[in-house]
């Protein structure tokens, strides 16, 4: 008779056993994910601190391991918030511990990424992690490991030093096994795209061969900090609703709806409750479980709430996105770039905003081969893998007939799509591509079409300009010959003056060129 | 040396020169007036080419076009035309001749004017003919020489160095090539009373050898396939100015028929020119009827032949009875025969039997 053993495992243990689902599936991906998680934490911390990030990232090869991949040291320094001393062990030594559980947009969300990176380093090298951090006061340095079985930090050392220069920020240094050579180009591309959507950040990367990659900021301006908001009634589930009921201090359902949810006003609260067949005067605590289910269902259907409050979102904004893309794609004045930030929208009650940029021109065709190059971002994080599985690919390649926009197979085009939301509809824990939620798909499509309409105008004007130039070339070539031979043919010494004719031909060019510069806002924009 | 001949050709030269210069003047002053230069000419597009039954040839209709340098598609041919006009005037000045092919190559030295192929330069020369209302021979441009003439005709040259010199066309037994010198010559006298035009060189040589010119008292002309304009012009002059009837003898197939027809009624390509057609010319064979009557060795008509025959049948130039009758018989028997087919009856049969019979009949 076999004995069945029942046990529970800690979250650390779970990720230890299933590290591939968090992006650590192989040695090269591990390097990529580690850099990514730490870089995102640093960017988050700087944004909260409202300082333009200055991030230094270094990957050093320490030794070659028996398995063929190498041991690296990964070090990241930022000038973000820093962490209070007592929070450092948990934040870096406990899975599902963090500061980003509130309802607002951030890169991290699960209290997972940084810790799992440390965990991965630990299980591949058995070396501790070093955290140095300050929130302005003393500098705290922790040397620690993770007690995987119990999901808790194991502090090996803690030193405190004076902070003479009033430094604020965090340094994380850890060792991990990985394979840099295979992921190099993706990793650089990842940092480059990060710089693209964070144009206010300066990022320095020193790679294991000692090469330095520097991504200079193009502006000091940062997008407004998103504010934490109440959930929108469309997106609430029964459990969340029940929790609000249990903690609320409101006395009737009408004020309850207004206080705990966004987008609900006096009249819409009343109308909504009526639609759910609940008396506005009902005391929240007196609701029966079936009433809660009824309310949640009715909330999904009720359409007169205000749109979800986008203040919890942090789109990059047209100006910043333009700066970032111009800088990283090295666009010139002559290239086309149109950025569209759509109005907020919702899927399943989660607010989201789609931003799109289309770049086209000589600089683009020099750097990219013919066809559409897609760059994807979710909450300002570049998505580099599984492109053809995601919603953006589908919107671009399946839903849009590009010939309407004068874009053909050999046209080099870059389309960048940014979706920001309090909940990105990722398909996998690896956070590599977004599922094709119909609302998201529609918004992405609309945004691209917006920008593409401008592109069409630009392309047709460019064609016209090229056409005009060609005309001028042709006249410039033949008129002198006509002058020369008509003079010879009529026995004259002097040639007739063709200047006025050449002027007449070129008259229309500056006009077209001016028009091409001032791209008009098209009717129906952003609607 | 005949003064009359020299003066006539000199006058033609001078007026050609003046009209070329005139084009230069027009264009020059258009530019000076800040106007994009243009030239008015008759349209050569197919819808402006009509058959004139009275003249018995194709002519250009009344529609005119402006070849305008303001038009992006026209400026290149316009420039080519100005250059060609200048080149033609140089030829006239220098009393030099040039072949169509030479014009094409001369333009090659001129960057930007260069022709894409000879057909392009030929087209521009035709434009110039239309614009000036003169044949290209007037400005000393001639086609490649292929065809020849033989028989008792005395000509007087007008070409430089030979002005006034005379020659009898029986002097050379291979026949005299119809080049610029023959074309521009004056016809002084002839004892012949007819012109016999033959499509093929081999048959021409045979006729000379068999002294057909004596037997039939004829001038012999060999067209070498579709006859060049200069040859057609000579046939026209012999018929019109010297009253010689013209008999045309070709292969018995649609292509042969059409060689005869172009001599008689002209071609659409030369609708802008007069003096090329010989409406009184007669096609004497090889007819479809001859194939039957003489039991000639034949080949089957190909699909292409049949198609061509059907086209000819509806062509306005082929309205006449003989044409319609012969085309119908060709279509019915589905056979064709070459001139050489008569060789089955011996080498002299054609001169001894066939031609006398045919000339008698028409
Ligand atoms: N560089 C940093 N600066 C300041 N705080 C940080 C930094 N890195 C991590 N943290 C804190 O540690 C927490 C846990 O990080 P992490 O495990 O990556 O989860 P998440 O980013 O999803 O919240 C974060 O929520 C944040 O509060
Ligand atoms: Mg994180």
């Amino acid at each position: 008779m076999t004995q069945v053993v029942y046990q529970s495992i800690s979250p650390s243990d779970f990720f230890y056993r299933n590290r591939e689902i968090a992006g650590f599936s192989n040695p090269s991906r591990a390097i990529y994910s580690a850099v990514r998680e730490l870089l995102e934490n640093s960017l988050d911390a700087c944004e909260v601190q409202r300082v333009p990030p200055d991030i230094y990232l270094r990957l050093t090869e320490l030794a070659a391991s028996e398995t063929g991949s190498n041991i690296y040291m990964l070090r990241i320094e930022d000038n973000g918030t820093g962490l209070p001393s007592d929070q450092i062990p948990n934040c870096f030594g406990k899975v599902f511990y963090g500061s980003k559980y509130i309802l607002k947009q951030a890169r991290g969300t699960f209290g997972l990424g940084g810790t799992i990176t440390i965990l991965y380093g630990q299980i591949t090298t058995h070396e501790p992690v070093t955290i140095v951090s300050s929130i302005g006061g003393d500098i705290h340095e922790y040397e620690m490991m993770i007690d995987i079985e119990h999901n808790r930090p194991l502090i090996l050392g803690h030193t405190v030093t004076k902070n003479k220069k009033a430094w604020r920020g965090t340094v994380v240094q850890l060792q991990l096994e990985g394979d840099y050579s295979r992921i190099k180009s993706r990793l650089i591309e990842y940092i480059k795209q990060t710089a693209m959507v964070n144009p206010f950040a300066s990022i320095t990367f020193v790679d294991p061969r000692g090469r330095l990659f520097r991504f200079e900021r193009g502006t000091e301006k940062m997008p407004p900090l998103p504010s934490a908001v109440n959930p929108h009634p469309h997106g609430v589930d029964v459990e969340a609703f029940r929790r609000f009921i249990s903690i609320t201090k409101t006395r009737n359902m009408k004020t309850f709806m207004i206080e705990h949810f966004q987008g609900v006003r006096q009249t819409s609260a009343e109308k909504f409750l009526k639609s759910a067949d609940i008396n506005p005067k009902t005391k929240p605590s007196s609701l029966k479980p079936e009433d809660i289910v009824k309310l949640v269902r009715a909330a999904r259907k009720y359409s007169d709430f205000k749109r979800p409050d986008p203040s919890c979102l942090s789109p990059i904004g047209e100006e910043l996105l333009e700066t970032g893309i111009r800088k990283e794609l090295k666009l010139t004045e002559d290239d086309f770039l149109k950025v569209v930030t759509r109005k907020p929208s919702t899927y399943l009650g989660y607010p989201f905003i789609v931003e799109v940029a289309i770049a086209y021109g000589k600089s683009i065709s020099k750097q990219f081969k013919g066809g559409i190059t897609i760059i994807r971002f979710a909450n300002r994080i570049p998505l580099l893998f599984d492109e053809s599985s995601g919603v953006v690919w589908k919107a671009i390649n399946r839903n849009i007939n590009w010939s309407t926009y004068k874009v053909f197979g050999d046209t080099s085009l870059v389309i960048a799509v940014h979706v920001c939301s309090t909940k990105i509809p990722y398909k996998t824990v690896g956070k590599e591509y977004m599922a094709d939620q119909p609302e998201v798909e529609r918004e992405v499509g609309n945004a691209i079409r917006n920008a593409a309409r401008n592109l069409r105008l630009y392309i047709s004007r460019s064609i016209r300009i090229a056409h005009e130039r060609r005309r001028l070339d042709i006249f410039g070539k033949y008129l002198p010959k006509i002058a020369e031979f008509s003079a010879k043919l009529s026995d004259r010494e002097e040639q007739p003056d063709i200047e006025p004719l050449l002027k007449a031909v070129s008259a229309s060019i500056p006009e077209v060129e001016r028009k091409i510069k001032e791209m008009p806002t098209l009717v129906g924009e952003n609607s | 040396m005949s003064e009359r001949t020299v003066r006539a050709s000199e006058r033609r030269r001078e007026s050609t020169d003046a009209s070329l210069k005139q084009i230069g003047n027009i264009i020059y002053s258009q530019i000076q007036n800040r106007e994009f230069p243009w030239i008015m000419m008759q349209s050569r597009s197919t819808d402006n080419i009509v058959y004139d039954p009275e003249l018995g040839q194709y002519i250009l209709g009344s529609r005119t076009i402006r070849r305008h340098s303001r038009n992006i598609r026209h400026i290149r041919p316009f420039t080519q035309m100005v250059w060609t006009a200048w080149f033609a005037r140089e030829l006239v000045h220098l009393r030099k001749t040039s072949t169509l092919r030479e014009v094409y190559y001369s333009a090659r030295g001129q960057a930007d004017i260069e022709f894409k192929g000879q057909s392009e330069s030929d087209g521009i020369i035709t434009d110039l003919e239309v614009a000036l209302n003169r044949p290209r021979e007037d400005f000393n441009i001639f086609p490649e020489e292929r065809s020849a003439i033989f028989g008792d005709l005395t000509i007087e040259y007008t070409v430089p160095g030979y002005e006034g010199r005379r020659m009898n066309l029986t002097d050379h037994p291979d026949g005299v090539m119809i080049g610029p010198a023959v074309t521009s010559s004056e016809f002084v006298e002839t004892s012949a009373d007819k012109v016999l035009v033959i499509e093929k060189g081999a048959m021409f040589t045979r006729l000379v050898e068999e002294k057909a010119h004596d037997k039939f008292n004829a001038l012999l002309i060999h067209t070498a396939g579709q006859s060049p304009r200069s040859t057609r012009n000579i046939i026209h002059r012999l018929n019109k100015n010297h009253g010689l009837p013209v008999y045309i003898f070709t292969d018995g197939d649609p292509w042969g028929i059409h060689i005869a027809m172009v001599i008689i009624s002209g071609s659409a390509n030369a609708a802008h020119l007069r003096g090329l057609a010989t409406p009184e010319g007669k096609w004497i064979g090889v007819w479809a009827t001859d194939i039957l009557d003489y039991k000639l060795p034949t080949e089957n008509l190909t699909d292409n032949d049949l198609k061509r025959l059907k086209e000819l049948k509806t062509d306005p130039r082929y309205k006449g009875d003989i044409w319609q009758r012969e085309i119908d018989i060709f279509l019915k028997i589905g056979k064709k025969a070459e001139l050489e087919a008569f060789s089955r009856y011996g080498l002299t049969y054609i001169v001894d039997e066939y031609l006398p019979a045919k000339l008698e009949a028409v």
Side-chain angles (χ1 to χ4, degrees), chain B residues 125-362:
Chain B
I125 292 164
T126 310
D127 279 349
L128 196 58
E129 289 182 310
V130 175
L132 291 172
N133 203 12
R134 288 168 184 276
R136 62 189 174 217
E137 287 76 10
D138 277 6
F139 33 91
N140 294 4
I141 297 173
F142 293 86
E144 239 59 31
E145 299 140 3
R146 301 175 284 150
S147 71
I149 181 167
F150 184 86
D152 178 29
L153 173 67
T154 303
I155 62 168
E156 183 176 312
Y157 291 111
T158 63
V159 290
Y162 288 80
E163 295 101 331
R165 248 206 252 182
R166 290 186 177 191
M167 154 151 124
N168 186 275
L169 296 184
T170 46
D171 287 356
H172 189 72
D174 285 343
V176 175
M177 200 183 282
I178 301 178
V182 172
T183 310
S184 62
S185 69
E186 297 293 331
F187 300 159
V188 183
E189 62 179 353
T190 179
S191 64
D193 60 9
K194 61 178 78 63
V195 180
L196 205 49
V197 180
I198 306 103
E199 169 187 350
K200 279 182 172 161
M203 185 55 66
F204 174 79
T205 309
R206 168 137 315 280
L207 293 183
V208 174
E209 275 173 18
E210 298 301 327
K211 301 210 176 347
H213 51 287
D214 282 346
K215 269 184 196 139
F216 302 114
N217 201 18
L219 294 174
L220 305 177
I221 290 178
H222 143 223
T223 64
Q226 201 44 274
S227 51
R229 275 200 211 166
S230 47
T231 308
R232 274 146 62 198
N233 175 246
I234 283 176
I235 297 169
H236 170 88
R237 283 160 65 193
L238 290 170
N239 174 255
K240 187 116 188 277
N241 305 341
H242 298 267
L244 305 185
V246 171
Y247 302 101
I248 307 160
F249 187 36
T250 68
D251 280 346
D253 63 26
W255 317 100
I257 302 179
H258 199 60
I259 286 170
M261 181 52 82
V262 168
I263 293 169
I264 294 167
S265 293
S267 64
N269 276 339
H272 58 291
L273 297 172
R274 300 291 174 272
L276 294 180
T278 307
E280 284 169 16
K282 293 227 155 47
W283 177 50
I284 56 166
V286 176
W287 291 356
T289 322
D290 295 339
I291 294 177
L292 299 174
D293 291 354
Y294 292 85
K295 302 195 171 50
L296 295 176
T298 57
E299 282 177 38
N300 290 332
L301 290 171
T302 65
D303 289 348
N304 208 15
D305 294 335
L306 290 167
K307 191 171 146 251
R308 185 68 182 145
L309 276 169
K310 281 169 195 154
E311 277 169 20
L312 298 185
K313 194 161 161 53
T314 57
D315 187 309
R317 289 171 286 182
Y318 287 87
K319 271 225 182 81
D321 290 344
I322 294 185
W323 304 107
Q324 290 294 322
R325 184 192 74 209
E326 292 300 325
I327 290 171
D328 285 342
I329 297 175
F330 271 119
L331 286 169
K332 203 174 109 207
I333 63 178
K335 306 279 186 197
K336 58 183 177 182
E338 292 188 294
L339 286 169
E340 291 86 341
F342 287 100
S343 308
R344 84 174 291 186
Y345 301 115
L347 291 176
T348 59
Y349 181 85
I350 196 162
V351 179
D352 296 344
E353 303 289 337
Y354 174 73
L355 280 177
K358 290 297 283 200
L359 289 171
E360 189 108 327
V362 291

Side-chain angles (χ1 to χ4, degrees), chain B residues 68-79:
Chain B
H68 212 304
S69 65
R70 183 77 176 90
N71 183 314
I72 194 84
R73 278 189 305 278
H74 284 179
I75 186 161
R76 186 178 129 87
F78 186 91
T79 312

Side-chain angles (χ1 to χ4, degrees), chain A residues 321-388:
Chain A
L321 188 52
E322 181 165 345
T323 309
I325 286 182
R326 273 199 188 285
K327 160 170 95 87
E328 294 306 326
L329 292 183
K330 301 185 175 57
L331 300 187
T332 69
E333 274 293 291
D334 295 332
D335 296 307
F336 169 87
L337 176 61
K338 174 67 185 176
V339 179
V340 171
T341 297
R342 296 274 300 173
K343 282 184 188 150
S345 196
T346 52
Y347 79 97
L348 306 177
Y350 302 106
F352 71 97
I353 290 177
V354 172
E355 296 177 283
V356 156
I358 296 185
Y360 167 84
K362 280 220 182 69
S363 311
I364 296 297
S365 47
K366 253 187 261 160
Q367 296 171 69
F368 300 88
K369 48 181 171 8
I372 300 176
T373 303
I374 302 174
I375 302 181
R376 297 167 297 150
F377 302 98
N379 284 354
R380 280 194 253 141
I381 300 172
L383 306 181
L384 268 82
F385 295 89
D386 302 321
E387 174 179 282
S388 57

Side-chain angles (χ1 to χ4, degrees), chain A residues 37-38 40-41 44 100 107-115 431:
Chain A
E37 292 298 347
L38 297 188
E40 282 164 14
N41 279 352
D44 273 344
K100 304 169 194 169
R107 294 175 181 81
T109 40
F110 301 121
L112 193 65
T115 319
K431 299 197 282 193

Side-chain angles (χ1 to χ4, degrees), chain A residues 103 229-233 257-264 305-310 312 349 351:
Chain A
L103 204 51
V229 293
N230 289 331
H232 192 274
M257 286 306 296
I258 295 169
E259 289 275 300
H260 292 279
F261 294 95
Q262 53 161 294
V264 187
F305 297 123
K306 260 173 64 184
R307 279 183 161 215
D309 180 359
C312 59

Side-chain angles (χ1 to χ4, degrees), chain A residues 41-42 44-45 78 81-83 91-92 97-100 108-115 170:
Chain A
N41 279 352
S42 288
D44 273 344
D78 68 50
T81 51
L83 292 98
C91 277
F92 293 101
Y97 190 94
S99 58
K100 304 169 194 169
T109 40
F110 301 121
L112 193 65
T115 319
T170 304

